[in-house]
Structures are given as C-alpha cells and as structure tokens.
Amino acid sequence: MPAPILRSDVLSVEALQTGMRLNGTVRNVVDFGVFIDIGVKQDGLLHRSQIPRGHSLSVGDVLEVEILNVERDRGRISLGWVK
C-alpha cells in the first residue's frame, strides 16, 4: 500500500482540531464506513453517511477529509467528506 500523505504539523491526535482538512489513505473498508490513515497513531472513521451516493472507496485510495470530531479519551476521530 502507498504511504499516507502527511502534514508536518500534524503528528499526534492532540494536534488535531475540528475543521482541519487533511489528506489520508483508506486502510480498511467496513459496512459502516471506511477507516482512513491521516498520519496520527489512530485511524479516523469516515462514516458511510458522509460518503456521497455513487462513490465507492477501496483500500489505498487517497482523499481529502475534514476533522468533524476528536474524542481523545476514547481514541476516536470522526471524519467528513471534502468535495
């Protein structure tokens, strides 16, 4: 798989902020969405409700996503689709 495209200013979950836009690489596709490597220890989840109809994603795809929510205590990163 290709390496994710990383930003030098985002190296940990603590550096993430709501509204931030990042490029990421799809690492896993599941029934409820896709997990995306955005360059921090924890992959983010792009929920299937955030994926426009007619788009299908597969492992290795690179796309731009937006940080919707970060739950540091639970280790969850919610992502949104960027057009």
Side-chain angles (χ1 to χ4, degrees):
M1 275 187 251
I5 301 166
L6 306 177
R7 285 179 42 169
S8 61
D9 61 334
V10 179
L11 300 174
S12 68
V13 174
E14 289 75 27
L16 298 176
Q17 297 177 6
T18 303
M20 191 178 266
R21 291 184 175 195
L22 303 164
N23 287 323
T25 304
V26 174
R27 292 295 179 205
N28 193 12
V29 179
V30 293
D31 291 339
F32 52 88
V34 295
F35 287 97
I36 299 179
D37 183 350
I38 55 172
V40 296
K41 182 179 178 183
Q42 182 69 32
D43 288 349
L45 174 65
L46 179 65
H47 192 268
R48 69 177 179 191
S49 65
Q50 294 290 323
I51 302 170
R53 287 185 182 257
H55 282 84
S56 66
L57 297 171
S58 19
V59 173
D61 288 348
V62 175
L63 64 147
E64 186 178 8
V65 293
E66 181 177 355
I67 305 295
L68 297 180
N69 189 28
V70 180
E71 295 179 55
R72 288 173 179 83
D73 56 327
R74 297 178 75 184
R76 292 185 180 177
I77 304 168
S78 299
L79 303 173
W81 183 273
V82 175
K83 297 176 185 179

